[in-house]
Amino acid sequence: MKISIYLSLLLISLFAAKSIAEYSPLEEKGFDVGLCVVEFNASFNEKNSVEWIDELTDCDVNRVDISLYPDLQKKYKIVVVPTIIVLNDGEEKDRFQANIMMTLEATKDDIQEAVDEILMSSF
């Protein structure tokens, strides 16, 4: 009986670890295709989340909590939160980082302008 319980727990642990290792919000949402704006933040800085990010147009918008996805923090070299990265087909085109107070000084218009410039340059 004990062996079957331990075996069950082991299998559940292995399945959970495999699922977590394979999961990447960037890959799932297709950040490597098209124009995408990603806000990287952390749960401890939730009060400084960029509230207007969902109002951006002509791009996909996503949020990543780096405390849940430290591999993405490393991959995208996030050193301060929030950080907004504008990606085009997976390539970083622009980056906006928070100040020392962990608030973003860039405005919605600044980010939208970056998106619009990328779109215009593709014609």
Side-chain angles (χ1 to χ4, degrees), residues 24-58:
S24 168
L26 296 183
E27 292 171 7
E28 179 181 295
K29 296 182 180 186
F31 287 15
D32 58 342
V33 178
L35 187 54
C36 186
V37 175
V38 185
E39 176 196 6
F40 292 88
N41 205 349
S43 54
F44 64 82
N45 192 42
E46 187 175 342
K47 69 177 182 153
N48 291 322
S49 288
V50 180
E51 295 177 9
W52 44 257
I53 195 165
D54 294 321
E55 298 172 16
L56 295 171
T57 59
D58 301 318

Side-chain angles (χ1 to χ4, degrees), residues 7-118:
L7 184 57
S8 296
L9 290 174
L10 177 64
L11 290 174
I12 290 170
S13 298
L14 289 173
F15 177 74
K18 184 177 188 305
S19 297
I20 291 170
E22 291 178 351
Y23 178 74
S24 168
L26 296 183
E27 292 171 7
E28 179 181 295
K29 296 182 180 186
F31 287 15
D32 58 342
V33 178
L35 187 54
C36 186
V37 175
V38 185
E39 176 196 6
F40 292 88
N41 205 349
S43 54
F44 64 82
N45 192 42
E46 187 175 342
K47 69 177 182 153
N48 291 322
S49 288
V50 180
E51 295 177 9
W52 44 257
I53 195 165
D54 294 321
E55 298 172 16
L56 295 171
T57 59
D58 301 318
C59 62
D60 291 328
V61 174
N62 292 281
R63 297 174 189 263
V64 173
D65 183 338
I66 62 168
S67 62
L68 298 176
Y69 302 100
D71 56 323
L72 296 177
Q73 176 186 7
K74 185 176 180 179
K75 177 179 179 178
Y76 289 94
K77 299 177 177 122
I78 305 301
V79 294
V80 63
V81 290
T83 293
I84 292 180
I85 299 179
V86 181
L87 300 166
N88 191 25
D89 293 330
E91 181 182 340
E92 182 175 330
K93 294 295 185 179
D94 218 335
R95 176 181 292 244
F96 302 86
Q97 294 181 239
N99 59 24
I100 194 165
M101 298 301 292
M102 294 177 26
T103 58
L104 194 67
E105 292 178 355
T107 66
K108 177 180 139 186
D109 290 338
D110 295 332
I111 310 298
Q112 188 65 59
E113 184 178 325
V115 168
D116 294 343
E117 285 178 13
I118 293 167

